[in-house]
Amino acid sequence: VNSISLRTLCFLIKKNEILLGYKKKGFGKGKWLGIGGKVEKEESPENAVTREVLEEVHVNPYNLQKVALLQFRFPPSKVDWNQDVIVFITQEWNKEPSESDEIRPEWFEFNNLPYDEMWDDARYWVPYLQKKKIEAKFIFDDNLKVLQNEIKEVNQF
């Protein structure tokens, strides 16, 4: 039985810009993505995302807002990739983000994101980030393109 891993993502936001990380190794290598990772046993999603942001871009995020719950389901050949992801945003952190072994951070304007170099699902849900809270489900095909998606706005989690 494959269990679904719980992961987190965090986006640092300043005015009309958002911080993305270029993944240098591991899962998602070569893509621009949010900062985050797996929630360890005995760890809250908030603690996990704070730890990951510190490890990956060397900043402490504060006043995290939970803005999305995403379900990612992959084809049978990649069933161990299935994951639920809690997405946070914040406009407060303690210093300028810097590069780690895993992530090279870069600021992008919201209206000029590198969607073609991100996971295929990003173009569907990232535009909501500053506006609405959402729950979404994405089903991927064998080429890791979104086969089906369902997004609904929610008031809270």
Side-chain angles (χ1 to χ4, degrees):
V1 179
N2 284 292
S3 62
I4 290 164
S5 70
L6 181 61
R7 303 179 78 85
T8 59
L9 279 178
C10 183
F11 293 93
L12 306 185
I13 293 174
K14 59 178 184 189
K15 297 196 174 112
N16 66 336
E17 290 187 312
I18 183 170
L19 187 79
L20 297 179
Y22 182 79
K23 191 78 155 62
K24 300 192 300 188
K25 61 183 190 183
F27 189 75
K29 181 182 176 193
K31 296 190 185 300
W32 289 99
L33 32 74
I35 311 304
K38 200 170 180 141
V39 178
E40 303 294 344
K41 277 188 173 56
E42 312 299 315
E43 194 177 36
S44 71
E46 288 76 6
N47 287 350
V49 80
T50 300
R51 174 181 53 75
E52 291 281 355
V53 169
L54 189 57
E55 287 172 7
E56 294 183 351
V57 296
H58 309 120
V59 303
N60 261 313
Y62 309 116
N63 293 329
L64 294 164
Q65 293 172 270
K66 196 183 289 187
V67 294
L69 181 57
L70 310 175
Q71 295 181 327
F72 296 114
R73 300 298 180 260
F74 291 89
S77 61
K78 295 181 172 62
V79 73
D80 53 337
W81 288 15
N82 287 350
Q83 52 191 267
D84 290 346
V85 179
I86 299 171
V87 181
F88 297 91
I89 60 172
T90 183
Q91 298 177 34
E92 295 177 51
W93 54 93
N94 63 338
K95 58 185 180 185
E96 202 45 43
S98 61
E99 190 167 347
S100 65
D101 291 350
E102 204 175 337
I103 294 286
R104 175 166 50 85
E106 199 170 304
W107 292 100
F108 288 90
E109 289 189 9
F110 256 104
N111 57 7
N112 194 22
L113 296 180
Y115 285 120
D116 291 342
E117 298 165 58
M118 296 170 77
W119 283 97
D120 192 44
D121 57 272
R123 65 186 76 240
Y124 297 99
W125 64 268
V126 170
Y128 286 93
L129 274 178
Q130 279 185 295
K131 305 176 189 82
K132 302 273 187 211
K133 291 185 162 83
I134 60 164
E135 286 181 6
K137 182 172 185 175
F138 297 93
I139 298 173
F140 291 89
D141 68 15
D142 286 317
N143 299 316
L144 303 183
K145 295 290 181 207
V146 172
L147 196 61
Q148 255 179 286
N149 78 88
E150 185 186 316
I151 297 177
K152 65 174 194 259
E153 293 175 16
V154 295
N155 294 322
Q156 79 221 12
F157 295 102

